[in-house]
Amino acid sequence: MFEDLGQAYLPQTRWPRRMVDRDKCEKCLRCIDSCPTAGFEKDEEGFPVPVGYGGMDQACLNCWNCVAVCPSGALTIEGPYQVPAGRYRTLTTGEVRFPDPLADGRPWDQAEPELTDTEKLIYKRRSNRLFKKKPVPKHLLHRIVEAGRFAPSAGNCQPYKFIVVTDRALINEVEKGSMEILRRLKNWYLSPSGRRSKAKAALFTAASLLAANKLDPRPFTAMEKADRENNVIYWGAPAVIFICKNPRGISNPDLDCGIAAQNMVLTAHSLGLGTCYIGLSIEPLNFPNMAGTRKKLGITPPWKAITSIAIGWPRGKIDKVVKRDSPPVEWIG
Ligand SMILES: Cc1cc2nc3c(=O)[nH]c(=O)nc-3n(C[C@H](O)[C@H](O)[C@H](O)COP(=O)(O)O)c2cc1C
């Protein structure tokens, strides 16, 4: 009768398997540095080794960025992230494959010449986590923000505010304050040994009824990485744009914010810049102990942060096409 109580807490999970071909690997460790999670370690010989964390056998989001940034083609990935039990069941159903873009059976190299520049940009954009220190000129940040302003929004109400931060001290303050909150949550939820206490399992299962998506194991491995890297959440990016919503926007202002953000991201990549959406700091920013930081950022009522984008010049080649899982698509008519 009570068996279900521990089901949603650290549920049985199938993670993708990353493999490193040691004959090809040049030990540059770009895979470790650009991995969003604590998913790799370096062994005594200097090779990257895929690892797990907190009782999970692997820590991997299936983003393929390690494959994209590897200069020697040493990395391959097999298998999906799947949660067969509990409340965090993967939304993807059906046969899991990793087709190249356009999924018509042709390899990317053959399809690419026929695509528009916009299509190429969409497929090649990767989240960038390796930034140069070099600042982004203000006129380019202005062009990025303008692309957000011209995004479609319900009722054309443009329910957003964009906050462009290039002040390193303030970015550090956001990271430090966020990490203090995330660290507590992470250390409470995941025990490094992977042992489960029955009381905790029941508590987290109950919590997952209220917010099923918040306790998925994957983001916790990203929190662990930020913790190990001394609060690095924004990956050292020289600029961050916060996208805030006015909750009184018509219909669904969160969606409007997302659309504006993606206009900015694609524009930044078209300018040769790299970007990474950063959500890790967003929930913590709502906490009472970050009120001072919110005020410095200008996130005061009615504004509420919805997401943020780290922006800077990429260190080495990062934008590259990857394979991706296929969500269900129905064709009707
Ligand atoms: C709303 C949102 C929040 C995200 N938050 C983070 C984050 O906090 N840290 C991070 O490194 N990546 C973050 N990402 C990036 C995702 O991990 C990434 O988009 C995904 O793994 C797919 O990889 P790709 O962007 O290279 O295609 C976020 C993405 C989105 C859309």
Side-chain angles (χ1 to χ4, degrees):
M1 181 185 168
F2 296 112
E3 269 168 17
D4 276 2
L5 272 181
Q7 211 186 24
Y9 170 62
L10 284 187
Q12 188 199 341
T13 308
R14 188 136 56 91
W15 300 83
R17 300 244 146 230
R18 294 147 295 159
M19 279 152 300
V20 180
D21 181 337
R22 290 180 171 233
D23 293 332
K24 289 187 183 164
C25 178
E26 293 168 3
K27 301 184 189 172
C28 68
L29 304 183
R30 281 168 66 81
C31 52
I32 299 189
D33 293 341
S34 62
C35 177
T37 73
F40 284 99
E41 273 169 18
K42 187 172 79 163
D43 74 7
E44 321 79 61
E45 292 172 66
F47 285 107
V49 182
V51 292
Y53 157 71
M56 299 181 278
D57 71 327
Q58 295 270 315
C60 178
L61 305 182
N62 225 349
C63 71
W64 291 60
N65 274 40
C66 52
V67 177
V69 298
C70 176
S72 60
L75 264 142
T76 45
I77 300 189
E78 266 178 23
Y81 172 85
Q82 271 185 337
V83 190
R87 289 185 186 83
Y88 317 111
R89 244 179 288 218
T90 173
L91 295 176
T92 309
T93 53
E95 190 194 353
V96 175
R97 319 173 283 139
F98 296 110
D100 280 342
L102 303 175
D104 58 2
R106 280 187 306 169
W108 165 255
D109 294 351
Q110 276 178 28
E112 188 182 7
E114 292 165 21
L115 304 184
T116 64
D117 287 346
T118 308
E119 287 176 296
K120 286 181 200 169
L121 187 67
I122 287 170
Y123 294 125
K124 287 183 169 174
R125 176 214 57 82
R126 297 274 66 78
S127 288
N128 185 77
R129 299 182 180 91
L130 300 172
F131 289 105
K132 288 181 181 162
K133 285 209 170 85
K134 185 178 150 190
V136 183
K138 197 167 178 185
H139 72 274
L140 292 185
L141 290 169
H142 178 67
R143 272 168 78 169
I144 293 167
V145 169
E146 280 293 270
R149 184 164 73 94
F150 278 82
S153 62
N156 196 27
C157 69
Q158 299 178 266
Y160 20 73
K161 170 176 179 174
F162 308 131
I163 301 166
V164 186
V165 185
T166 52
D167 176 347
R168 177 43 44 201
L170 188 50
I171 297 172
N172 287 347
E173 184 176 321
V174 174
E175 291 181 310
K176 191 165 174 277
S178 304
M179 211 46 234
E180 273 168 24
I181 294 160
L182 296 174
R183 187 178 298 120
R184 256 179 266 150
L185 179 64
K186 166 190 71 89
N187 290 343
W188 198 39
Y189 184 57
L190 297 181
S191 70
S193 71
R195 255 183 284 132
R196 296 155 167 245
S197 116
K198 280 192 176 143
K200 248 200 210 178
L203 182 69
F204 278 112
T205 299
S208 74
L209 281 170
L210 302 170
N213 58 339
K214 303 273 188 223
L215 294 170
D216 185 293
R218 281 172 291 184
F220 288 87
T221 68
M223 292 175 206
E224 173 67 12
K225 168 108 176 202
D227 197 5
R228 286 184 199 170
E229 304 275 328
N230 197 17
N231 306 329
V232 169
I233 290 180
Y234 284 98
W235 304 100
V240 176
I241 301 182
F242 289 86
I243 291 103
C244 305
K245 75 165 175 183
N246 184 335
R248 296 186 64 193
I250 298 167
S251 184
N252 184 348
D254 294 58
L255 178 59
D256 293 331
C257 285
I259 295 168
Q262 187 63 0
N263 263 19
M264 293 194 232
V265 160
L266 292 178
T267 301
H269 285 253
S270 77
L271 294 167
L273 288 155
T275 65
C276 188
Y277 280 102
I278 299 295
L280 271 187
S281 52
I282 298 301
E283 294 276 350
L285 262 176
N286 293 321
F287 275 59
N289 44 342
M290 290 197 76
T293 309
R294 277 201 302 278
K295 199 167 167 204
K296 283 187 201 165
L297 286 166
I299 308 178
T300 47
W303 303 109
K304 195 167 180 292
I306 293 301
T307 193
S308 58
I309 308 169
I311 304 178
W313 299 105
R315 194 153 39 85
K317 192 169 157 40
I318 286 156
D319 278 357
K320 195 177 167 191
V321 75
V322 294
K323 294 174 188 294
R324 183 134 293 172
D325 205 352
S326 306
V329 180
E330 303 285 351
W331 296 83
I332 299 171

